[in-house]
Amino acid sequence: QSLVCGNGCSGRVQDMTVQAVVTSRVLFTGQICNSAERVYVEEGIYDEFLSKITDAMSKVTGGDPFADPAPDMGSLLSKAQLDKVSGMVERAVAAGAKVECGGQKDSTKDKGYYYLPTVLTNVQQDSEIMQDEIFGPVLPVMKVKDLAEAIDKANDSYYGLTSSIFTNNTNNVQRAMAELRFGETYVNRNHFEAMQGFHAGWRHSGVGGADGKWGLHEYLQSHVTYVQGQY
């Protein structure tokens, strides 16, 4: 989940915000558990953000990851995954979603399972494309009235691994930290954890975790000894 907030900001969408969201969606072709699966944008900056994110996603390059220069992303893992991503987008469009860019398999590639980087709008909160993990380079974007609505919709999920917020308002950051029900929240950066943190999710995102001292404890066995003070 990504929350892009305009309240208290300069009223403009920062380029670093757009780049961080794009990277969080297309790295490894979106086949990472940390990937940004959906984006909620405050209405005051929605049009500017949509224009910039659509332009950035449409410029993402795909191809052989060993090529020089290297592309931004490779292919999907398998034909089954390509068909899954394609089917989810097709069903979203049939239900009323609008394709801002992409929205189909990459017909320019004669090898591999490539899907064009895609931005979708006019999506419904309870739809498959917003509730299920896409695991591909597809980004649904929804307009919200304010941060409260963004947090409420973000928490409406089967999953609870990663979330992010982009804002220069520290009150927004503190509220997001307190109210987002996810194992991780990234502030003004992409969706990738650091080794000193703890990588763990809530709800259907699993039990336990890795990284940091807490992750090390997952591999240890405790031994408690109780000693009576007087004998």
Side-chain angles (χ1 to χ4, degrees):
Q1 328 298 320
S2 291
L3 317 179
V4 182
C5 303
N7 183 30
C9 298
S10 62
R12 294 191 57 81
V13 177
Q14 302 297 318
D15 290 340
M16 59 79 62
T17 298
V18 174
Q19 189 54 55
V21 173
V22 170
T23 300
S24 300
R25 177 68 278 185
V26 305
L27 190 67
F28 289 101
T29 324
Q31 299 168 112
I32 306 177
C33 56
N34 285 29
S35 293
E37 290 283 336
R38 54 188 185 175
V39 181
Y40 299 99
V41 187
E42 285 193 357
E43 58 187 6
I45 57 171
Y46 176 82
D47 290 341
E48 182 185 2
F49 176 81
L50 179 60
S51 174
K52 288 187 173 183
I53 199 75
T54 300
D55 180 64
M57 285 286 281
S58 66
K59 291 177 179 176
V60 168
T61 58
D64 181 354
F66 296 104
D68 185 17
D72 297 316
M73 68 179 198
S75 75
L76 290 165
L77 177 64
S78 64
K79 183 178 184 301
Q81 184 62 21
L82 176 62
D83 291 342
K84 176 202 168 188
V85 172
S86 181
M88 290 182 74
V89 172
E90 289 172 3
R91 289 188 292 275
V93 171
K98 179 183 177 184
V99 176
E100 301 291 342
C101 68
Q104 61 185 345
K105 299 174 184 179
D106 188 347
S107 60
T108 66
K109 305 290 190 301
D110 57 1
K111 292 182 179 180
Y113 307 107
Y114 292 91
Y115 197 85
L116 293 174
T118 299
V119 175
L120 298 176
T121 56
N122 198 36
V123 288
Q124 302 303 311
Q125 176 67 16
D126 61 354
S127 65
E128 175 192 39
I129 203 77
M130 292 292 280
Q131 291 295 330
D132 291 348
E133 191 172 39
I134 303 167
F135 233 57
V138 178
L139 191 66
V141 180
M142 177 178 285
K143 181 192 301 185
V144 294
K145 181 176 66 175
D146 52 25
L147 179 60
E149 184 182 1
I151 291 174
D152 183 60
K153 282 183 162 55
N155 286 335
D156 175 28
S157 173
Y158 300 121
Y159 306 105
L161 181 56
T162 61
S163 59
S164 62
I165 180 169
F166 295 87
T167 179
N168 66 7
N169 186 317
T170 56
N171 290 330
N172 286 344
V173 173
Q174 293 294 324
R175 182 173 182 180
M177 290 167 56
E179 297 182 17
L180 283 170
R181 294 187 285 113
F182 293 80
E184 301 170 17
T185 296
Y186 301 100
V187 180
N188 296 333
R189 53 160 290 171
N190 55 36
H191 278 220
F192 306 110
E193 77 274 12
M195 288 301 296
Q196 67 269 27
F198 186 50
H199 184 57
W202 294 20
R203 297 188 292 277
H204 287 201
S205 289
V207 177
D211 298 341
K213 66 179 183 180
W214 301 276
L216 178 62
H217 290 166
E218 297 279 326
Y219 297 92
L220 303 180
Q221 185 171 359
S222 63
H223 180 169
V224 180
T225 300
Y226 297 93
V227 179
Q228 186 67 28
Q230 295 181 347
Y231 181 73

